[in-house]
Amino acid sequence: ALPITSEADSKKYFDENIIDKRVLAVYVDVSNSTTSSIKLISLNLKVGQKEEVVIASMTADEMYKILKREYAGKAFLWIFTTFYVGGPVSIVHTASVNSKIKEDIKEKQFPIGKEIRPKETFQGFVWFRIPKEAIPENNDLPKGMALKLILEKEKKLIEYNLLIL
């Protein structure tokens, strides 16, 4: 698991700084080196050491709502600078960009719940919205975060806790 904790990496993968929006992206790579299939059933983020908070991962649709571009502001500016011609063009362009963002997010998302056969690997991003109360006063990401993975193998549940920050 690799957390995206810098503004530069956030912009590299998501074209904007999602950390400022209290979103932590974690790149997860799961390889099945066993002789039977496994399934990642659940992936949560545990935050804090004294008072632990467990945060469920966000869906691709929730992440899209954070990353999508707004229509109104750009269209309003283009209407006045181009005498009403640029407004509709701006709206169409923004819709096209939003469609690409939505596809990109769905492609990048880790496939939770998908069966991973022996010698198979899956990777992708999971996103977590960090609650305001878990953010320290200096606005940095909180320390003591761990990913909690619950896997199913041969109808048995296996829990892993990976310290990431």
Side-chain angles (χ1 to χ4, degrees):
L2 175 69
I4 305 302
T5 59
S6 73
E7 181 179 346
D9 285 342
S10 180
K11 287 183 177 181
K12 176 181 173 182
Y13 294 108
F14 304 106
D15 202 31
E16 69 178 82
N17 186 6
I18 62 172
I19 297 166
D20 282 351
K21 297 178 180 187
R22 297 188 345 266
V23 175
L24 175 68
V26 181
Y27 185 78
V28 178
D29 187 334
V30 177
S31 297
N32 183 0
S33 58
T34 68
T35 57
S36 59
S37 293
I38 61 172
K39 185 186 291 187
L40 180 61
I41 297 178
S42 174
L43 205 149
N44 298 311
L45 183 69
K46 297 192 309 186
V47 179
Q49 295 164 342
K50 293 178 183 172
E51 294 181 28
E52 190 175 276
V53 176
V54 178
I55 304 165
S57 61
M58 297 169 58
T59 65
D61 288 335
E62 291 170 319
M63 189 61 187
Y64 167 71
K65 288 177 185 175
I66 290 170
L67 292 176
K68 73 179 180 176
R69 306 295 189 251
E70 295 301 322
Y71 297 93
K74 284 184 176 181
F76 185 74
L77 289 173
W78 278 106
I79 283 172
F80 286 108
T81 58
T82 62
F83 302 104
Y84 299 96
V85 174
V89 173
S90 175
I91 290 171
V92 169
H93 177 262
T94 303
S96 172
V97 168
N98 280 343
S99 176
K100 290 176 184 172
I101 289 171
K102 191 171 200 170
E103 289 173 27
D104 184 54
I105 290 299
K106 288 189 185 249
E107 287 175 13
K108 286 180 179 175
Q109 185 176 26
F110 186 88
I112 295 174
K114 187 166 180 139
E115 183 177 306
I116 306 170
R117 292 186 284 265
K119 303 204 182 346
E120 197 171 47
T121 299
F122 282 109
Q123 60 268 335
F125 282 99
V126 288
W127 304 277
F128 301 95
R129 175 70 73 128
I130 309 294
K132 286 182 183 177
E133 59 271 8
I135 302 285
E137 289 180 21
N138 62 4
N139 278 337
D140 285 343
L141 290 170
K143 302 296 180 209
M145 289 195 282
L147 279 181
K148 178 182 175 184
L149 290 83
I150 299 177
L151 301 163
E152 180 182 13
K153 179 182 174 191
E154 297 171 351
K155 298 187 181 187
K156 292 181 185 174
L157 297 181
I158 302 164
E159 183 178 313
Y160 287 100
N161 289 296
L162 305 172
L163 186 63
I164 59 170
L165 284 178

